[in-house]
Amino acid sequence: MKRTRASIGALGLAVWALTASAQPAQEGNLAQAQSIASQVCAACHGADGNSPTPANPHLAAQHARYITKQLDNFKSGARQNPIMAGMVTTLTPEDMQALGAYYAQQKLRPAQAKDEALAREGERIYRGGIASKAVPACAGCHAPNGVGIPAPYPRLAGQYAEYIAAQLKAFRSGERANDPEGMMQAIAARMTDREIQAVAEYIAGLR
């Protein structure tokens, strides 16, 4: 188990190093991105990327390249969501890159954990995994403080518990399959509903 967590963490750091060195100097037209965000994205995600409802994720402070990748995946069909598929139809690659940069610069108003006991259960999974099921610690790829590793491993800290749980269940069922090397599908497949809810609750309160 220790080897698994160490290997995943090392892989994440290597990917971070490569993507950081390849970071472009210009991430797109931020003014255009702000216009798109206010006209197209705001109803579900808030004009500044702070979603008003737990069904939709916060985008504020998320890694720019992660957001760009998800938008591209929605457009290509690699990630299935009928609402998002319609929203990205007219977006160009430059628009997607600019939106990623725009949301990355916004200040997150984080969600809150609501169930302290459940969050404590989730903390054990997030930090130590579930050895009996070969579930690695979430911290290995998403960092102990939940900030993630650009670009494949997103920021999780302060995200709505409801959204995190929904995505883990989507990975588990195969409804969502756009993760690197199918890693999240394999991990979520070994988790019960209770374990998913627990780790999601902890993530909501993680800072």
Side-chain angles (χ1 to χ4, degrees):
M1 181 62 189
K2 290 182 179 178
R3 289 181 180 177
T4 300
R5 292 201 300 270
S7 297
I8 291 175
L11 173 62
L13 289 172
V15 172
W16 175 84
L18 289 172
T19 54
S21 64
Q23 190 79 359
Q26 176 60 42
E27 286 285 5
N29 189 322
L30 294 181
Q32 173 67 7
Q34 185 174 14
S35 176
I36 296 171
S38 62
Q39 295 178 39
V40 180
C41 314
C44 294
H45 298 286
D48 63 351
N50 285 285
S51 170
T53 175
N56 302 315
H58 289 311
L59 301 180
Q62 186 57 268
H63 303 306
R65 289 180 179 273
Y66 181 78
I67 290 176
T68 300
K69 178 184 183 295
Q70 298 311 304
L71 291 172
D72 180 70
N73 285 176
F74 283 127
K75 189 163 186 173
S76 71
R79 183 174 176 182
Q80 295 288 318
N81 182 293
I83 295 174
M84 284 303 304
M87 294 296 171
V88 300
T89 300
T90 61
L91 294 183
T92 66
E94 292 75 22
D95 291 336
M96 296 179 194
Q97 187 181 51
L99 282 165
Y102 170 74
Y103 283 122
Q105 295 181 11
Q106 305 309 303
K107 185 176 180 179
L108 175 67
R109 295 195 296 275
Q112 303 290 328
K114 302 172 184 175
D115 186 324
E116 185 177 348
L118 188 61
R120 283 198 297 269
E121 290 181 39
E123 181 178 13
R124 289 192 290 271
I125 297 171
Y126 187 92
R127 296 188 178 279
I130 309 172
S132 63
K133 296 182 176 182
V135 171
C138 310
C141 291
H142 296 283
N145 60 355
V147 298
I149 303 173
Y153 305 116
R155 177 192 178 99
L156 300 180
Q159 187 59 266
Y160 286 120
E162 294 88 340
Y163 178 77
I164 293 291
Q167 294 309 300
L168 285 171
K169 290 176 182 179
F171 279 125
R172 186 176 65 182
S173 70
E175 178 185 347
R176 182 174 175 184
N178 69 325
D179 54 315
E181 306 298 329
M183 185 186 301
M184 284 307 306
Q185 289 179 283
I187 292 170
R190 305 184 194 118
M191 297 177 71
T192 65
D193 283 353
R194 174 73 181 190
E195 290 161 349
I196 285 174
Q197 291 297 145
V199 78
E201 189 72 11
Y202 174 69
I203 285 168
L206 186 58
R207 303 289 184 268

